[in-house]
Amino acid sequence: MNHHEQLYKEAAAFIVTCYEELDMSSDAINRRLVEIKQQIEENGTYTHTSEELEHGAKMAWRNSNRCIGRLFWQSLQVFDARGLKQEDEIAQAIVDHIEYATNAGKIRPSITVFRPEESGREVRIWNHQLVRYAGYATEHGIVGDPISIELTSICQELGWKGAGTHYDILPLVIRIGDQPPKWFPIPEEAVLRVPIEHPEYEWFADLHLQWYAVPFVSDMCLEIGGIRYTAAPFNGWYMETEIGARNFADEQRYNMLPRIASLMSLNTSTNTSLWKDKALIELNIAVLHSFKKAGVSIVDHHTAADQFNRFEQAEEAKGRELTGDWTWLIPPVSPATTHIFHKHYNNELVKPNYLKQDVPYTSTQPKPIPLKCPVHH
Ligand code: ARG
């Protein structure tokens, strides 16, 4: 099969499913298929209608095997930004997305879709998430988020200067085709941050932990009907374990468990005191408490699992086969307390979907060896 035939095949499969779900007639389907065939023959590609783009982006969320939050797939707000040509227009649309989705804490799941891949002029956002903290390898240890060290040094090479705190927001880095990448600071007012405190442990606030309110994944490719949208940042809201059991807890991230355990006066000299587990639970309680107190949407892993259960039932009622990635769907805290742990999921890839794409930048420096105990104020 040549490229045009392959594209038409993918397009047709999408159009039929999409139009049926939207209750469109078979006449409408056939008319649209003829049109698409013509467009592909003439231009080598075709253009989605805004309705197709909107429903395709929602289907892609519904098909995201690793996502526990899929019950809400129909509520996705889709911003069609395919008309934007320049880096600065794209950066502005991203800031608008951040503000719309943040909504002073009442988070709205949203996606902004930029021009799809076309020969030589692919749009890529170099950030893994629109909002993420910089990471610096200093002679006194790592400052900030160790996971960002590589992108941070690339931003510095491009001319960006961070304040050097543990929580500097990285600038947006946008590249079109083979032009040099451009960077844009995100206005501080656009980024909502949540200071972390504990409902009972007063000392917890003195750790000066904070996390940003909204996770915006920005490096995945949205594929709909054979068209690849290489820049299509999207957001939902956080589940507390993402922050409390991973970002703050992982040894290769903020590595806070030893500090928290010792402030809790736990015996950290033996595994059998389960000090890591106890510290982990209190950290997760603190994250949930702080987001609630700040009026920022967040879900705990038990409620998220219940919602996923409802999603499973809704999909079954619609006669759709459920797909899922068990290794990602189970929460990292108390997994066996959720129904997900006790089930089997089929991890097949169904499209439309959000796909991993290769890292757009090449590493310029050797990776520093992470220190066991990062310096932390
Ligand atoms: N796990 C990532 C983080 O901690 C965010 C991934 C998307 N999460 C979400 N709830 N939509 O930043």
Side-chain angles (χ1 to χ4, degrees):
M1 225 188 315
N2 69 31
H3 174 71
H4 286 192
E5 287 165 349
Q6 179 65 34
L7 178 56
Y8 179 76
K9 197 181 139 198
E10 302 257 1
F14 163 66
I15 293 297
V16 170
T17 317
C18 172
Y19 278 41
E20 280 175 356
E21 287 185 14
L22 295 173
D23 276 326
M24 315 261 265
S25 68
S26 49
D27 265 11
I29 296 179
N30 290 330
R31 272 200 306 273
R32 181 63 177 137
L33 289 181
V34 171
E35 202 172 75
I36 288 175
K37 186 164 236 160
Q38 226 163 29
Q39 278 191 30
I40 294 177
E41 273 162 19
E42 280 167 27
N43 314 316
T45 186
Y46 73 102
T47 307
H48 287 132
T49 65
S50 20
E51 208 175 14
E52 289 161 7
L53 183 70
E54 177 172 340
H55 196 66
K58 291 178 179 178
M59 290 168 77
W61 183 3
R62 189 177 77 204
N63 290 331
S64 292
N65 290 358
R66 296 176 165 184
C67 178
I68 193 175
R70 286 182 271 166
L71 176 64
F72 304 103
W73 66 273
Q74 291 167 96
S75 72
L76 183 66
Q77 172 67 45
V78 181
F79 293 113
D80 181 353
R82 290 176 293 172
L84 305 186
K85 293 254 152 65
Q86 289 164 22
E87 295 89 344
D88 58 338
E89 301 171 314
I90 290 171
Q92 186 54 53
I94 288 174
V95 173
D96 293 345
H97 176 154
I98 291 174
E99 289 179 334
Y100 176 89
T102 304
N103 192 26
K106 211 179 162 357
I107 297 172
R108 297 185 276 212
S110 312
I111 183 169
T112 301
V113 185
F114 297 105
R115 297 214 305 271
E117 174 185 66
E118 42 172 305
S119 44
R121 288 190 67 79
E122 180 181 293
V123 183
R124 286 294 300 267
I125 300 167
W126 283 16
N127 312 70
H128 162 67
Q129 291 178 34
L130 299 180
V131 175
R132 229 186 190 192
Y133 299 130
Y136 310 91
T138 78
E139 56 209 70
H140 310 293
I142 293 172
V143 173
D145 194 337
I147 208 162
S148 298
I149 286 176
E150 196 173 357
L151 183 59
T152 302
S153 65
I154 288 170
C155 290
Q156 288 170 326
E157 278 166 36
L158 292 174
W160 174 78
K161 280 186 190 66
T165 75
H166 285 293
Y167 306 108
D168 296 350
I169 307 283
L170 284 166
L172 297 168
V173 183
I174 298 165
R175 184 177 198 196
I176 301 180
D178 51 14
Q179 287 164 237
K182 293 197 175 158
W183 63 272
F184 303 86
I186 302 175
E188 190 58 47
E189 322 85 73
V191 180
L192 185 58
R193 304 172 186 246
V194 180
I196 307 298
E197 55 179 56
H198 189 280
E200 285 126 42
Y201 300 150
E202 271 183 34
W203 49 262
F204 209 100
D206 301 334
L207 291 167
H208 295 289
L209 298 179
Q210 58 154 283
W211 205 254
Y212 48 87
V214 187
F216 301 93
V217 173
S218 50
D219 59 358
M220 295 183 89
C221 171
L222 166 58
E223 191 181 317
I224 303 174
I227 302 292
R228 290 166 44 84
Y229 296 96
T230 53
F234 57 82
N235 74 279
W237 50 74
Y238 265 115
M239 181 163 87
E240 107 286 2
T241 55
E242 300 183 83
I243 304 166
R246 303 298 312 278
N247 303 345
F248 283 146
D250 280 359
E251 281 182 23
Q252 69 277 19
R253 298 294 299 285
Y254 282 80
N255 190 22
M256 293 304 299
L257 296 184
R259 286 279 293 284
I260 294 168
S262 86
L263 286 162
M264 289 171 69
S265 313
L266 301 175
N267 180 0
T268 56
S269 68
T270 170
N271 284 332
T272 57
S273 69
L274 299 189
W275 61 270
K276 284 188 182 174
D277 310 73
K278 284 185 155 178
L280 198 53
I281 295 298
E282 297 307 333
L283 175 52
N284 276 266
I285 286 171
V287 168
L288 280 168
H289 166 83
S290 307
F291 270 64
K292 285 218 176 102
K293 185 169 171 185
V296 175
S297 311
I298 191 160
V299 67
D300 67 82
H301 53 287
H302 301 290
T303 305
D306 290 345
Q307 290 167 346
F308 189 69
N309 202 348
R310 283 170 55 202
F311 170 70
E312 293 178 44
Q313 286 162 16
E315 288 304 288
E316 170 142 29
K318 283 280 179 192
R320 286 191 288 260
E321 198 108 34
L322 178 85
T323 57
D325 182 345
W326 186 92
T327 66
W328 274 62
L329 288 170
I330 54 161
V333 172
S334 313
T337 64
T338 69
H339 77 286
I340 302 169
F341 184 88
H342 305 277
K343 277 188 69 171
H344 175 266
Y345 294 91
N346 169 15
N347 191 20
E348 223 173 286
L349 173 74
V350 179
K351 290 177 185 176
N353 216 314
Y354 297 98
L355 309 173
K356 227 172 138 166
Q357 46 189 349
D358 45 58
V359 181
Y361 48 84
T362 40
S363 126
T364 47
Q365 272 151 352
K367 277 210 164 79
I369 301 132
L371 298 173
K372 258 263 142 100
C373 276
V375 185
H376 218 281
H377 57 242

